[in-house]
Amino acid sequence: SEFVALTNSDLARYFFDESPFLGWKRFEDWSNKPLGVDSEYFFDERIKIFTPNHNRDDAKNLIDGLNEIRSILSVPNHSVRLVGLSGVGKTRFAQALFDNRIGDKNKSLDPKIVWYCDYGNSPDPLPEHFIERLIEEDKKAIVIVDNCGQDLHSRITKLIKNAGKISLLTIEYDVRFDSPQNTDVYKLECTTIEILEKVLKRDFPYIEDINRTKIAEFSGGNYRLALAIATNIDKSDNLAVLTDEQLFSRLFYQQGVIDQELF
């Protein structure tokens, strides 16, 4: 595929002439969908992304916001922070920044220079040390740190301000409106129910249309909630007859039985 960059081993040798690093990834399906980077990115004009001041009157449609973030990250020493509720598709949005099939092809970011890690998976080296090494080697890179708290964001933003060839994107479940210094902050809203139905149809083709619609409506455009329900229903289930309370309990099913401790 034209969207697949070098292997992890190749990239590690290119940058540092040593073995791959734990938890650091090349351009790939960071959101762990089974279809990989070639899978279609579903969107429509109603999905909004809020600009740095989070003014609702200044919201952009998803593609305009995507192209704007691309322009910022294409300039070294710049930092962007992408926030929003868990399950709205922030990681998948970050992946789309490097996909030239989406938005302005001329603004698409180079997948060969990106490094991604999920901080929740304890990457080694830590982002600070990884970026310091990039600076020492004078390498051009776009670094993405997922599940990145505000304190870590501030530390690594300071590092890249004098790095010369590095730009930074951090992603976090963070709905606070305070903005870190020297950072453009964007907030992604939930997807639409119609888009969520398309995603469910792709990822769970065995689910009946009536059940897909019920899941999408109940989830309010949040894929993580929809996924929790979709993975715990059988082909014979008819969700249309369930109340919202009964459907809510499906979020806590483990191997077909509700987990009382989780509930």
Side-chain angles (χ1 to χ4, degrees), residues 226-241:
L227 177 64
I229 297 173
T231 53
N232 285 292
I233 67 171
D234 297 321
K235 292 182 179 180
S236 59
D237 284 341
N238 181 6
L239 301 184
V241 301

Side-chain angles (χ1 to χ4, degrees), residues 22-249:
L22 179 65
W24 289 95
K25 300 178 180 180
R26 62 177 175 86
F27 178 64
E28 59 183 55
D29 189 358
W30 303 320
S31 57
N32 297 316
K33 299 295 187 302
L35 300 180
V37 293
D38 287 330
S39 62
E40 183 178 357
Y41 182 50
F42 294 117
F43 62 90
D44 70 31
E45 294 295 315
R46 290 173 293 170
I47 303 173
K48 299 299 182 181
I49 185 166
F50 295 105
T51 49
N53 60 7
H54 292 293
N55 187 334
R56 297 193 70 87
D57 295 329
D58 197 27
K60 298 181 180 294
N61 66 55
L62 185 138
I63 294 302
D64 287 344
L66 180 132
N67 286 328
E68 185 172 297
I69 292 174
R70 283 170 166 172
S71 295
I72 296 171
L73 292 177
S74 66
V75 180
N77 307 93
H78 280 67
S79 171
V80 173
R81 187 157 173 79
L82 180 64
V83 301
L85 293 173
S86 177
V88 300
K90 299 184 295 296
T91 303
R92 184 63 183 88
F93 177 88
Q95 186 178 313
L97 295 169
F98 300 85
D99 190 335
N100 61 21
R101 300 170 298 177
I102 304 167
D104 187 341
K105 180 178 181 179
N106 295 322
K107 291 185 178 181
S108 179
L109 299 175
D110 184 358
K112 294 189 293 296
I113 64 170
V114 65
W115 280 100
Y116 169 93
C117 81
D118 183 336
Y119 192 69
N121 292 334
S122 302
D124 184 15
L126 294 173
E128 301 100 309
H129 301 149
F130 189 85
I131 291 173
E132 287 172 350
R133 188 64 181 274
L134 285 171
I135 295 171
E136 289 174 4
E137 297 290 335
D138 194 31
K139 298 300 184 182
K140 183 178 182 180
I142 298 173
V143 176
I144 300 178
V145 181
D146 210 338
N147 287 308
C148 177
Q150 186 126 302
D151 290 342
L152 174 60
H153 169 87
S154 297
R155 294 197 302 271
I156 56 181
T157 293
K158 290 179 181 178
L159 284 175
I160 67 115
K161 284 305 170 183
N162 298 311
K165 296 182 179 180
I166 301 172
S167 56
L168 173 69
L169 171 66
T170 67
I171 305 170
E172 171 69 330
Y173 167 78
D174 184 352
V175 294
R176 294 173 297 175
F177 286 172
D178 53 323
S179 298
Q181 291 185 341
N182 302 315
T183 299
D184 293 307
V185 182
Y186 290 81
K187 181 182 178 184
L188 185 62
E189 288 222 316
C190 290
T191 187
T192 63
I193 291 174
E194 291 79 7
I195 292 299
L196 185 52
E197 284 191 74
K198 290 182 179 181
V199 175
L200 289 171
K201 185 174 184 178
R202 181 193 66 194
D203 294 349
F204 301 92
Y206 59 87
I207 295 180
E208 298 290 338
D209 289 347
I210 189 171
N211 284 342
R212 268 199 305 271
T213 299
K214 180 71 173 181
I215 293 171
E217 290 175 348
F218 176 81
S219 303
N222 187 297
Y223 180 74
R224 187 158 295 175
L225 293 179
L227 177 64
I229 297 173
T231 53
N232 285 292
I233 67 171
D234 297 321
K235 292 182 179 180
S236 59
D237 284 341
N238 181 6
L239 301 184
V241 301
L242 299 182
T243 65
D244 281 354
E245 183 177 353
Q246 291 170 322
L247 197 56
F248 176 76
S249 69

